[in-house]
Amino acid sequence: MESVDNIVVEDDRNHEDGLRQDKPNIKQTSELYSFKRKQSLQARYVYGFIFFITNLLAWFLRDYGHKVLHSFLPERACGVEGNNCVHAGGVLRVSLGCFTFFSLMCVTSFRVHKLQEARNSWHSGWWSLKCMVYLLSTGFPFIIPSNIIQIYGEVARVGAGVFLLLQLISMIRFLKWCDNQWMADLETNKCALLGLFLSTIFYIASFFGIILMYYLYALESTCVINIFFITWTAILVKVMMIVSLHSKVNVGLLSSAIMGSYIVFLCWSAIQSEPHTQKCNSQKKMADRDDMTTILSFFIAICAIVMATFSTGIDSQSFQFRKDEVPSEDDIPYKYEIFHFIFSMGSMYFAMLFINWELKHPTRKWSIDVGWVSTWVKIINEWLAASIYLWKLIYPVIVRDMAICCNESAQHTDVSV
């Protein structure tokens, strides 16, 4: 009997010793996952910096490439004077290189789920090797014939449109996140003072922006197109505010205020993109070249691309998990393939900005996204953004009313039977 008791006691001691040994291993594993997660999040900034440098390179080739690099460019692909690899051609070749790099990253990081996977290390590290891949991807388009580059330019128009759609989706996700963070919740008795304050600020900015646009761009009655753009934008802002406050919708003012400011900005950007011969722009009357406006437009465009890409991490669980799944400690913080896919589409979008959506017409030096094509792309993007937002508000009401009607019809049928 005593031998049996000794065996039991010995087993308990061995079990306790095993637990003591497992605790440091569990702690070390948790620290390793935390380090890899942090490394993965920091990698986004490196990719953003690579994208920014690529944009500067495209700008340099467009405006100064012919003066500096014409003797170094390959004659077979770029022509005798190198004209096919500078100006719009240079922008498209750099864009193709950037698109190739991020497409390769998208393919090689497709369906990565766990931090301990080898491809997670490829996404978050191996920067020396990826720099070589980036240089090869950027240099390869400069030996491609010009007719293939023109085909890529046509494809890039479609890709730029896809990016604008992704940007709208990111904006809608951001509005939902803002509502969850700062709007009142009756179930949790959460206060909404900050949300009310932000709503007021954004609405003041929207109406002030509309008045300022009337003053700057619609002083004369002959400026019919600008008056139409600004007036329709003001109507959209008012409609979004009314719908968001409707008793059946009742989502509060914050999301409609932010979206209102966003479409006012798109309207301003569209009018700013009108050709420099346009007489209804008081700023263009004062100066033939507004360098500060160009630089501001450049950084706004880059920030829009980067923010649209980084927003994949704001609500990463919606990409990765179903409602009945619980995120694990070793899950990646965001979807790598979506991250790189948005950057690949963004590379097409910045090409269209630099060449003003025109493949063959020359682009004016120190100008970005100028021309009637650019203007109408932004105006359509504004209208589409407002339409998607209003549909997002109205659709749940329509579904709820249809469900109520179906239930009432079913009850009426049961009673008649």
Side-chain angles (χ1 to χ4, degrees):
M1 190 71 179
E2 291 180 0
S3 61
V4 174
D5 292 337
N6 291 334
I7 292 173
V8 173
V9 171
E10 187 68 24
D11 290 340
D12 292 339
R13 289 176 180 175
N14 292 336
H15 181 67
E16 291 176 0
D17 292 338
L19 290 176
R20 292 192 190 98
Q21 293 175 359
D22 289 341
K23 285 182 179 179
N25 294 333
I26 295 173
K27 184 178 180 181
Q28 291 175 0
T29 303
S30 179
E31 291 177 353
L32 179 62
Y33 288 153
S34 178
F35 172 77
K36 288 187 175 183
R37 180 180 294 272
K38 184 179 179 180
Q39 190 180 41
S40 175
L41 293 173
Q42 290 175 345
R44 297 183 304 172
Y45 299 99
V46 181
Y47 289 115
F49 179 74
I50 292 172
F51 188 81
F52 175 73
I53 293 298
T54 308
N55 278 262
L56 292 180
L57 176 61
W59 195 351
F60 173 79
L61 279 176
R62 192 197 68 174
D63 291 351
Y64 304 103
H66 188 267
K67 294 181 180 179
V68 180
L69 301 175
H70 66 91
S71 59
F72 299 98
L73 297 172
E75 183 177 329
R76 184 174 181 179
C78 300
V80 178
E81 297 293 330
N83 292 326
N84 295 333
C85 292
V86 294
H87 307 305
V91 172
L92 290 175
R93 291 174 191 272
V94 173
S95 171
L96 176 58
C98 186
F99 169 78
T100 302
F101 173 74
F102 282 107
S103 296
L104 287 173
M105 292 303 305
C106 177
V107 172
T108 54
S109 60
F110 183 70
R111 295 184 67 84
V112 176
H113 298 294
K114 301 297 180 180
L115 292 171
Q116 70 267 23
E117 293 184 34
R119 288 186 297 157
N120 175 73
S121 300
W122 165 245
H123 168 81
S124 305
W126 295 85
W127 294 111
S128 299
L129 179 58
K130 280 189 287 193
C131 283
M132 294 179 61
V133 174
Y134 171 77
L135 292 175
L136 290 174
S137 300
T138 307
F140 178 72
F142 286 89
I143 62 174
I144 295 178
S146 297
N147 56 348
I148 298 179
I149 297 299
Q150 290 297 315
I151 295 174
Y152 169 75
E154 298 292 346
V155 175
R157 286 177 171 173
V158 180
V162 172
F163 172 79
L164 291 175
L165 183 60
L166 293 173
Q167 191 178 50
L168 291 181
I169 296 174
S170 299
M171 187 66 185
I172 297 298
R173 287 183 175 277
F174 175 72
L175 295 178
K176 181 180 179 181
W177 181 81
C178 290
D179 281 339
N180 294 334
Q181 291 292 320
W182 296 316
M183 289 306 295
D185 191 346
L186 297 177
E187 295 181 359
T188 60
N189 295 323
K190 185 173 69 174
C191 186
L193 291 179
L194 180 59
L196 182 61
F197 172 76
L198 292 176
S199 302
T200 305
I201 295 297
F202 277 109
Y203 269 120
I204 291 175
S206 298
F207 290 116
F208 177 77
I210 290 171
I211 294 172
L212 188 63
M213 284 193 294
Y214 273 121
Y215 175 74
L216 293 177
Y217 308 122
L219 287 176
E220 301 177 6
S221 58
T222 55
C223 303
V224 178
I225 190 70
N226 287 355
I227 294 174
F228 168 70
F229 286 162
I230 300 169
T231 303
W232 187 246
T233 300
I235 292 173
L236 288 176
V237 172
K238 189 67 176 179
V239 168
M240 289 190 298
M241 182 178 68
I242 293 173
V243 172
S244 64
L245 290 176
H246 194 276
S247 58
K248 290 187 176 181
V249 178
N250 196 24
V251 296
L253 288 172
L254 181 58
S255 61
S256 61
I258 297 175
M259 179 57 77
S261 299
Y262 179 66
I263 67 171
V264 168
F265 164 75
L266 289 178
C267 181
W268 168 81
S269 181
I271 296 175
Q272 194 66 29
S273 294
E274 291 176 354
H276 290 272
T277 56
Q278 181 70 13
K279 303 298 183 182
C280 296
N281 191 329
S282 61
Q283 289 183 342
K284 291 171 184 172
K285 294 178 184 178
M286 293 184 289
D288 291 332
R289 189 183 74 182
D290 192 350
D291 293 348
M292 290 304 298
T293 302
T294 301
I295 294 173
L296 179 62
S297 300
F298 172 74
F299 279 102
I300 288 175
I302 298 301
C303 289
I305 296 172
V306 174
M307 289 302 296
T309 310
F310 277 28
S311 65
T312 60
I314 292 178
D315 190 19
S316 61
Q317 290 185 4
S318 63
F319 289 109
Q320 290 182 247
F321 308 112
R322 295 187 296 269
K323 290 183 179 181
D324 57 343
E325 291 183 343
V326 178
S328 177
E329 186 182 18
D330 60 341
D331 288 320
I332 60 174
Y334 55 94
K335 277 289 189 180
Y336 297 158
E337 62 267 32
I338 296 176
F339 176 85
H340 294 297
F341 175 75
I342 295 177
F343 261 136
S344 65
M345 294 297 103
S347 64
M348 294 182 173
Y349 177 67
F350 84 70
M352 292 299 104
L353 295 185
F354 282 126
I355 67 175
N356 303 327
W357 297 80
E358 298 286 348
L359 301 181
K360 297 181 179 180
H361 296 285
T363 304
R364 185 170 161 270
K365 188 178 179 180
W366 273 82
S367 66
I368 293 178
D369 208 18
V370 175
W372 282 116
V373 177
S374 300
T375 297
W376 280 106
V377 166
K378 292 178 181 179
I379 287 296
I380 293 173
N381 189 34
E382 174 199 339
W383 296 347
L384 184 62
S387 300
I388 292 176
Y389 176 74
L390 288 173
W391 175 249
K392 176 181 172 292
L393 296 181
I394 297 172
Y395 178 73
V397 178
I398 296 175
V399 172
R400 187 165 58 246
D401 289 345
M402 291 178 61
I404 293 174
C405 290
C406 290
N407 290 333
E408 291 179 351
S409 177
Q411 291 177 359
H412 180 72
T413 302
D414 293 339
V415 170
S416 60
V417 171

